Amino acid sequence: MTQAAILLIEDEALIRMMLAEMVEELGHRVIAEAGTVDEARSLAEIESYDLAILDVNLQGANVQPVAEVVRDRGLPLFFLSGYGSSGLPKGFEDMPVLVKPCTSDTLKHTIDAVLPNGCRSQLA
């Protein structure tokens, strides 16, 4: 299995910690985390990552500006939501959505489905 560097954006600290632990148990690395749109957008612009996992709603704000940065960099992403696919950012309605709370198996399946084959961490 190839290890991926993951940008994890989630505003609930306990959920973010749980997701980070699950990501690492799956053999990947969380290289940066954020819980606000401004912090997340900054990290999305400067960090080296293979995949972004984005909570749709960050403290009442839509994650669209962050998703646009990730897309503009040509990197894969998927969304987390407690509300299914409702509220996805405009232009991202076809992107995968992982419903919270999720299991390690559903997280693994979604990561594997979104990451390009043979993905190699930029940090390896």
Side-chain angles (χ1 to χ4, degrees), residues 69-76:
V69 168
V70 175
R71 181 182 58 197
D72 290 349
R73 289 186 66 180
L75 295 167

Side-chain angles (χ1 to χ4, degrees), residues 16-107:
R16 189 168 65 233
M17 286 178 8
M18 180 191 72
L19 285 167
E21 189 173 305
M22 287 173 29
V23 162
E24 296 193 359
E25 286 173 0
L26 292 173
H28 302 294
R29 285 183 296 170
V30 173
I31 55 95
E33 303 176 21
T36 66
V37 169
D38 288 343
E39 185 182 6
R41 184 173 44 213
S42 176
L43 290 172
E45 290 170 348
I46 64 171
E47 291 293 336
S48 294
Y49 54 94
D50 301 308
L51 168 67
I53 301 175
L54 308 176
D55 185 9
V56 171
N57 184 326
L58 298 174
Q59 300 176 352
N62 191 285
V63 75
Q64 182 160 352
V66 183
E68 289 172 349
V69 168
V70 175
R71 181 182 58 197
D72 290 349
R73 289 186 66 180
L75 295 167
L77 64 103
F78 66 86
F79 295 100
L80 295 169
S81 176
Y83 309 102
S85 59
S86 67
L88 283 182
K90 186 175 172 79
F92 291 90
E93 294 88 357
D94 294 338
M95 298 299 297
V97 179
L98 187 58
V99 178
K100 298 186 291 187
C102 66
T103 65
S104 185
D105 286 344
T106 57
L107 180 62

